[in-house]
Amino acid sequence: MSSLASPVLVGRTAELQVLIDAMTRPPAVVLVEGEAGIGKTRLVHAALSRLVSGDRSVLLGYCHQIREPFPYGPVVEALREIAGRLPAIEALNPVTGALRDYLPELARALPPSPQRPNDPRAERHRLFRAMRALLAAVGPALLVIEDLHWADDGTRDLLRFLADQPPQGLTVVATYRREDLGTPGLPLGHTYRHPPGTTSLVIPLRPLDVPDVSSLARALLNRSDLPAPFVARLHERTAGIPFVVEEVVRSLPDAEGPDALDRVGVPLLLREAMAERMAGLSAAAVSAVQAAAVLRLPVGEQLIAAVGGDSTGLGEALRVGVLREHPGGRYGFRHALAQQAVYDAIPGPDRRPAHERAMTALAAMEPPPLVQLAYHSRQAGDMEAWLRHGRAAADRAAALGDTALAVEVLEGMLADPDLPEPDRGPLALALSRLAASGLSHQRVVRLLRHLLRDDFLAREVRGEARLNLGLVLCNQAGDSAAGRPEIMAAVAELHDRPTLAARGWASLALPGWGTESLATHEEWMARAEALVATAGNPELVAAVLANRASFEMTIGSPDAFTVAATLPVADPSTAVRREAARGYCNLHDAATMLGHYAAAERFGREGRRLAAETGAQYPAYLVDVSTVRRNWLTGRWDGLRDRAATLAELATETPLIAVDVWLVLGLLALATGEWEEAAGHLRGAGMDAPDARFLPVVVAAAGGLVELHLARGALESAVTEAEQAVARLRRKGVWVWGAYLIPPAVTAFARAGRVREGAELVAEFAGGIAGRLAPAAHAALDHARGALAADRRPADAAGFFARSREAYAALPQPYAAARAGEGEARARLALGDRHATSALAELAERFGALGATHDAARCRRALRDIGAESPLPRGRKGTAGALSQREREVARLVALGRTNREIADVLFLSTRTVETHVATVLRKLGVRSRTEVAPPV
């Protein structure tokens, strides 16, 4: 047919304008969604072509269907384009030096590389910060990532990090196919929270309607009109997918009668349109195109020649548009649909030798692309090479920290129906062990469940695979309700492998999980120890010992520190030291909970060191999250909310083990009067399914919810919450975990007039912690006694609160000490001690210094009630329009969407006073509406 005009963008006027507006108003995050061939890339490039040339950096990155382990590859690929826009080295953030190894071509333009941290999660966060800083330095910038559905997990995490905290001059645009996402409906892998001040859009692209198909066909054929029957038939046969419309129209003869499509025999499907175009090529061009189809990815001329015989037809294939040139001197198809259409048309006897030639060419590369070699081996029918390359690819990916790719390779092999039966068990075990030592787990869980459910595994490996599945569910997923039954089933299947069964019993013995009593956990621990007594397996002995040490510390046993000292930290075996690392990280968490903060810090240091030595990512992450809680307890609140939120964002596949982070975020919100945020975070700390979550954190979160209900005046809800939480604690029998529940629970019972019940709870708590090494619980006991006596025996209450305050201060727990001090001051005021006024004023200052604005406001309200005043700090002197401390508190709550009435309740002010403060805030910030108020920094 006659030559076609260049295609135009049709039917996308509104979407194009929306995209251009977002590109020119950073910061912005735009997700362009649509099925294959719908025109996502064309829309993005049309928008880019309409921007002022040189006005901003345009950085393009591509995700590929077959990828080698190269963390954050698409973003790194995009960043290579910024060489000419970098400022001087001294103007760059020093953290950008961390990218020298990733961007060697830019190394001379980047600051020196900072010392690499031992913690892999800290290193990843540093890399994320470095990339964000580099993008900020070259702003305004457009970062375009194509085919996000093929992105690795690390790239998705990085993009979500950039999207959550974009530099002011950055617009991120990503294209993806919804139907090919690993997690349906979540292109970034997890829910994306739109940050204030950032334009966040999803632009869905739909198939073209009949008029738009007509416009596209007329542009392609350079015609002013087309017969209506022809257009209707074209729309019917192509379903309005632009790429398919183009390919079909390109294959038409000059006639456009209503039966033209039928006469040429070119149906809707792209494969037939591509076959029509291939028919017009020379033999050399067909060989080049077929070689590109076999290779799947854009590749260099040399590889095309090696697979196709020669590359003389490559130029012809490029000229007619069957192939196109990609960045870096690589050649491939315009679209994966075109590649698949050509590949499927190659006769089977011709495909096999083509894949064999691809294997030969790829094997000569250094380093060999193992994932591609595994793919071509399988397509060539070379099962031995497929298994060899597949295992090597998974091993390399795991060594580089790309667990998701390792899992993907093993998953693909295990899903192959032709996988030899003897190889299925070892691959399944490799997959389960990979998950047990890392953080990524979701796909592993799905596959292992499938293999176990459908009897794919031999009996001798079934028990171990099930045990690893249960451990992953309990640990990485934090879902003991699903994991513990798997472990119970595994120990039964492992009756003839007692050493492995011991690992299962030792895991079940940890009392933080499940609904069993402490006595049952003790029985299970004894069973595990008996099984390993004669095992002769140092790794297993270390694993059970680590759990015993964790067990003793978790319950506040007097023997806890003695047992902890026996962990084999200097053993020459990496596997043994890995178990010691896990033990120390668990000890850090338990010591933090009990109030042994100096010991916890030592345990954390040693745990991190051992984890770095042995490559144990999961235990090191536990130290990170429990350190956030230790910072909360010890009053290190500066920047804590941001640190906790960042850590939560990095918990991409493991949100349930980040419960400490959600607990801290909830308690911080509670201390500042952010009621809805506090409720949401505390429920995320395990209250959504308390019997299936980590009970020590669940109990603390329940204590926070009781405090929240009391603060909001919902006494009945507070009592109900307290009753349910105390019942869980009583059933378990580990009363040292009640340090953060019993004081608010007793307060709720006392205010409800259920004093006797409160007294019985105090007595039960006292008996439960007697003889235990749990300083936080002992401080909480006096706090609870003071709460019980507050309304009836103020003199006794003052004494109890004073002892509690001193005990908390010694730990130290400054916030808890201030809360106990407030109880003491109120009891002294009830006794007529006017000197308590100064103590209450001092406490208001302490609360304010911590950042507990709601507590500070409560103390100031008490002072106003007795005719005393405690003035708030003023804004910075010499700063025109600076907000005062009270105005900052009001502005923060306004930014959260609170009404004046709600603000008044939180800050213990009248509604009229709040109205005045809001008006002042709007005036000083120069905004007209409260919806424009941003949280003060």
Side-chain angles (χ1 to χ4, degrees), residues 663-675:
L663 174 65
V664 168
L665 288 171
L667 296 174
L668 285 169
L670 183 60
T672 53
E674 299 168 26
W675 304 143

Side-chain angles (χ1 to χ4, degrees), residues 43-103:
L43 175 72
V44 171
H45 285 267
L48 292 175
S49 70
R50 285 161 173 77
L51 299 178
V52 177
S53 178
D55 188 47
R56 63 199 70 235
S57 303
V58 177
L59 313 173
L60 304 177
Y62 302 86
C63 308
H64 299 297
Q65 189 173 13
I66 300 180
R67 61 186 182 87
E68 296 298 327
F70 179 37
Y72 324 121
V75 179
V76 172
E77 178 184 22
L79 289 175
R80 292 188 172 121
E81 305 297 322
I82 66 175
R85 298 185 68 100
L86 281 173
I89 289 182
E90 55 270 21
L92 287 171
N93 186 323
V95 75
T96 58
L99 297 175
R100 278 176 164 249
D101 291 341
Y102 287 81
L103 298 166

Side-chain angles (χ1 to χ4, degrees), residues 20 35 127 132 134 175 184 199 318 391 669 702 793 799 818 885 925:
I20 292 172
E35 63 184 292
L127 286 172
R132 184 174 61 189
L134 198 62
T175 68
T199 301
L318 291 169
R391 291 192 189 102
R793 306 191 317 275
Q885 179 64 32
L925 295 181

Side-chain angles (χ1 to χ4, degrees), residues 87-452:
I89 289 182
E90 55 270 21
L92 287 171
N93 186 323
V95 75
T96 58
L99 297 175
R100 278 176 164 249
D101 291 341
Y102 287 81
L103 298 166
E105 56 269 64
L106 301 181
R108 293 184 178 180
L110 296 175
S113 180
Q115 183 176 356
R116 185 186 298 270
N118 292 328
D119 181 2
R121 297 194 68 81
E123 169 63 6
R124 184 171 78 154
H125 189 223
R126 186 181 69 161
L127 286 172
F128 286 12
R129 290 176 49 233
M131 292 189 190
R132 184 174 61 189
L134 198 62
L135 287 166
V138 299
L142 278 166
L143 174 63
V144 178
I145 302 297
E146 292 270 18
D147 296 321
L148 184 61
H149 49 277
W150 285 329
D152 61 283
D153 291 355
T155 296
R156 286 195 184 93
D157 292 349
L158 172 57
L159 289 174
R160 191 168 63 254
F161 180 85
L162 293 173
D164 283 345
Q165 306 173 58
Q168 285 301 307
L170 178 66
T171 294
V172 177
V173 178
T175 68
Y176 66 93
R177 302 180 198 163
R178 185 182 183 89
E179 64 274 18
D180 288 339
L181 291 173
T183 304
L186 298 175
L188 296 177
H190 287 273
T191 302
Y192 165 56
R193 297 187 305 227
H194 302 166
T198 298
T199 301
S200 301
L201 299 171
V202 176
I203 302 178
L205 299 186
R206 311 297 183 200
L208 302 178
D209 57 17
V210 173
D212 288 333
V213 167
S214 176
S215 298
L216 179 56
R218 283 187 282 112
L220 289 164
L221 295 168
N222 197 23
R223 292 282 301 272
S224 61
D225 66 308
L226 286 170
F230 170 81
V231 173
R233 184 66 169 155
L234 179 62
H235 181 266
E236 176 188 350
R237 303 294 294 276
T238 63
I241 299 174
F243 182 70
V244 181
V245 172
E246 291 177 25
E247 297 305 317
V248 170
V249 170
R250 288 178 189 277
S251 303
L252 286 172
D254 290 332
E256 291 91 24
D259 60 347
L261 292 170
D262 294 326
R263 282 205 319 273
V264 298
V266 180
L268 166 66
L269 297 177
L270 175 62
R271 68 184 73 251
E272 293 161 332
M274 290 299 297
E276 187 74 15
R277 298 185 67 190
M278 293 284 288
L281 298 178
S282 68
V286 168
S287 295
V289 173
Q290 289 181 340
V294 167
L295 289 162
R296 294 183 80 184
L297 299 176
V299 296
E301 182 177 353
Q302 186 177 1
L303 265 180
I304 290 177
V307 175
D310 63 62
S311 61
T312 57
L314 180 59
E316 179 186 347
L318 291 169
R319 283 193 299 275
V320 300
V322 177
L323 295 181
R324 61 175 293 191
E325 185 171 357
H326 292 257
R330 296 171 299 143
Y331 307 97
F333 291 86
R334 294 174 60 233
H335 199 282
L337 287 174
Q339 178 270 328
Q340 190 63 49
V342 173
Y343 181 81
D344 290 346
I346 302 173
D350 295 339
R351 285 202 298 265
R352 183 186 295 268
H355 284 292
E356 290 173 345
R357 291 191 294 273
M359 290 171 59
T360 301
L362 292 170
M365 299 175 66
E366 187 59 41
L370 295 171
V371 178
Q372 295 178 58
L373 280 167
Y375 165 75
H376 290 293
S377 301
R378 180 66 186 93
Q379 299 306 114
D382 188 340
M383 303 299 285
E384 187 275 331
W386 173 53
L387 289 167
R388 184 176 71 253
H389 291 311
R391 291 192 189 102
D395 290 344
R396 177 190 287 178
L400 291 174
D402 195 344
T403 305
L405 178 58
V407 168
E408 183 180 322
V409 171
L410 293 174
E411 183 181 31
M413 298 175 76
L414 283 163
D416 194 309
D418 294 329
L419 177 69
E421 191 64 34
D423 294 295
R424 192 173 298 278
L427 288 178
L429 285 181
L431 187 67
S432 68
R433 290 165 182 161
L434 189 67
S437 62
L439 288 168
S440 179
H441 71 274
Q442 292 173 351
R443 286 179 293 192
V444 180
V445 166
R446 288 195 296 269
L447 181 60
L448 288 177
R449 280 176 164 163
H450 167 68
L451 294 173
L452 289 165

Side-chain angles (χ1 to χ4, degrees), residues 678-735:
H681 291 320
L682 291 171
R683 290 193 176 90
M687 296 306 297
D688 56 334
D691 289 340
R693 304 291 185 250
F694 188 53
L695 190 55
V697 173
V698 166
V699 169
L705 285 176
V706 174
E707 293 269 20
L708 176 60
H709 292 315
L710 291 173
R712 303 181 83 170
L715 182 56
E716 185 176 346
S717 296
V719 169
T720 299
E721 194 71 60
E723 289 175 329
Q724 293 172 348
V726 168
R728 292 187 201 101
L729 190 59
R730 184 178 288 125
R731 179 177 60 195
K732 181 64 69 174
V734 186
W735 285 97

